[in-house]
Amino acid sequence: MASKPRCISLTASRSRCLKLYFSRSGLRPTTTDLGGGTVMHCWVPRNPNPTRKNVLLIHGFGANALWQFCEAVPSLVARFNVYVPDLLFFGKSYSTETDRSEAFQARCVKRVMEDNKVEKMAVVGISYGGFVAYSMAAQFPESVERVVICCAGVCMEEKDLAEGLFMVATVDEAAGLLMPKTPEKLRELMKLTFFKFPKSVPSFILEDFIEEMCVQYVEEKSEMLHAIAKGRKLSELPKISQPTLIMWGDKDQVFPLELAHRLERHLEGNAELTVIKKAGHGFFLERPRQFNRRLKAFLESTAAPTATATVADAPLKA
């Protein structure tokens, strides 16, 4: 899609507002040079409190950390030291390395946390960020104390695509949706992401979002998606030992709810599942009060997971 002259970008304006929002929440932007052509941007506490727990929030595809955690950050900063990185090839983070695995992303995020002198943390991952969070927990069990996996199909297998578990049949088809080039494709993605998505969003707004969020690092992001699926088998997925909360929307059309139950079974009693009713893949934005309340309760707890599904329905106060 050819770029069109724009007097003002609504997407860029919202991003600027979100940066101010994060700053007023007590966070500041940082950039860490990890060497080898790898640079990561991360929002960190302006004045970390050594008596509080550290919480790392890892975003997924679709936008950057600002957009995906705008509802969660204000709710968490009053009780935790909150860290919000942009994964490689999102926001201001990039790399000249050729490794596109979630394991590499996890190692890079861990080094950013080390640079900020964070030794122990809880890790929260949304969608693709859940793959990275799970990998961090597996690679660094001495540092990751609790894990929250949100709508992330870490238990998927490569064969699930061909067997019809997903709305797409190939990784390339998924990449075409997750990195849309037209308003029509973005509408299709939004319909899959949210339980209720307004049908009347003007095309110029969608075009603006695509120009700001979907045109950079397209090849690298496509390679990341291929790396997730290639040769993936449940039998080879490590069983993490940390207490784990699994959160999912009951109407998720990106990663079907079956994958949440599959992960719960895989972790053999070390996880508990919370299903948010009348919400899709983006339940953390559709039902922020339910999400924030359940998230804070788990992060503050020292109890072991209950291993029983909890369904949040009626709106809850944050």
Side-chain angles (χ1 to χ4, degrees), residues 9-312:
S9 167
L10 296 177
T11 305
S13 296
R14 175 167 168 77
S15 291
R16 287 192 291 270
C17 290
L18 290 176
K19 289 176 184 177
L20 181 60
Y21 194 40
F22 272 43
S23 295
R24 289 181 173 175
S25 295
L27 303 184
R28 63 182 178 88
T30 64
T31 300
T32 304
D33 188 340
L34 302 178
T38 301
V39 173
M40 291 202 80
H41 177 270
C42 185
W43 289 88
V44 305
R46 189 173 293 111
N47 298 298
N49 186 332
T51 66
R52 292 179 177 176
K53 296 179 180 179
N54 301 308
V55 176
L56 171 64
L57 305 178
I58 307 179
H59 68 86
F61 268 72
N64 56 32
L66 288 168
W67 285 64
Q68 294 191 20
F69 289 113
C70 59
E71 297 286 354
V73 163
S75 177
L76 295 174
V77 291
R79 305 186 189 185
F80 305 98
N81 297 317
V82 178
Y83 297 81
V84 195
D86 281 324
L87 291 174
L88 296 175
F89 309 115
F90 293 88
K92 297 180 180 179
S93 298
Y94 59 89
S95 178
T96 58
E97 296 284 346
T98 58
D99 192 339
R100 300 290 180 257
S101 67
E102 69 262 37
F104 178 67
Q105 292 268 11
R107 291 192 293 272
C108 291
V109 173
K110 178 62 164 57
R111 289 179 60 191
V112 170
M113 298 301 281
E114 290 172 353
D115 189 69
N116 284 280
K117 297 180 173 54
V118 176
E119 298 179 355
K120 303 286 185 180
M121 71 201 83
V123 181
V124 181
I126 288 174
S127 195
Y128 177 77
F131 288 81
V132 179
Y134 196 95
S135 183
M136 282 191 70
Q139 292 186 72
F140 309 108
E142 72 287 350
S143 297
V144 178
E145 297 177 312
R146 295 177 86 79
V147 182
V148 182
I149 302 296
C150 302
C151 55
V154 295
C155 273
M156 66 171 283
E157 298 187 288
E158 185 176 18
K159 66 179 184 179
D160 288 332
L161 284 162
E163 292 179 355
L165 180 63
F166 302 107
M167 298 293 289
V168 296
T170 67
V171 176
D172 286 334
E173 191 178 347
L177 274 175
L178 291 171
M179 292 168 284
K181 297 179 180 179
T182 66
E184 292 72 28
K185 276 294 182 182
L186 183 52
R187 284 193 184 93
E188 187 178 349
L189 175 61
M190 294 297 99
K191 289 176 183 177
L192 290 176
T193 301
F194 299 107
F195 176 56
K196 289 185 177 180
F197 176 70
K199 299 179 181 179
S200 58
V201 179
S203 291
F204 78 89
I205 292 180
L206 300 179
E207 289 174 351
D208 179 66
F209 183 88
I210 291 170
E211 286 291 328
E212 289 290 328
M213 293 290 185
C214 305
V215 298
Q216 286 191 313
Y217 301 117
V218 172
E219 182 178 350
E220 290 85 353
K221 291 175 182 177
S222 179
E223 291 169 353
M224 288 161 56
L225 293 175
H226 279 274
I228 287 175
K230 186 176 181 180
R232 196 174 191 92
K233 296 180 180 178
L234 180 58
S235 61
E236 297 176 359
L237 185 71
K239 290 181 170 66
I240 59 175
S241 59
Q242 298 92 334
T244 301
L245 171 64
I246 304 166
M247 298 188 73
W248 228 271
D250 69 336
K251 306 298 182 184
D252 196 323
Q253 297 185 79
V254 177
F255 286 123
L257 186 57
E258 159 58 25
L259 291 173
H261 293 293
R262 190 186 291 181
L263 179 57
E264 185 183 24
R265 293 191 298 268
H266 182 71
L267 295 180
E268 298 179 333
N270 193 43
E272 56 184 288
L273 171 62
T274 294
V275 179
I276 307 297
K277 279 191 174 182
K278 298 179 182 178
H281 189 67
F283 71 86
F284 49 93
L285 295 174
E286 289 185 292
R287 299 285 185 266
R289 286 181 292 178
Q290 291 95 320
F291 172 62
N292 291 337
R293 180 169 176 170
R294 186 68 193 92
L295 179 61
K296 285 189 293 186
F298 178 78
L299 294 174
E300 290 176 334
S301 175
T302 57
T306 62
T308 56
T310 302
V311 178

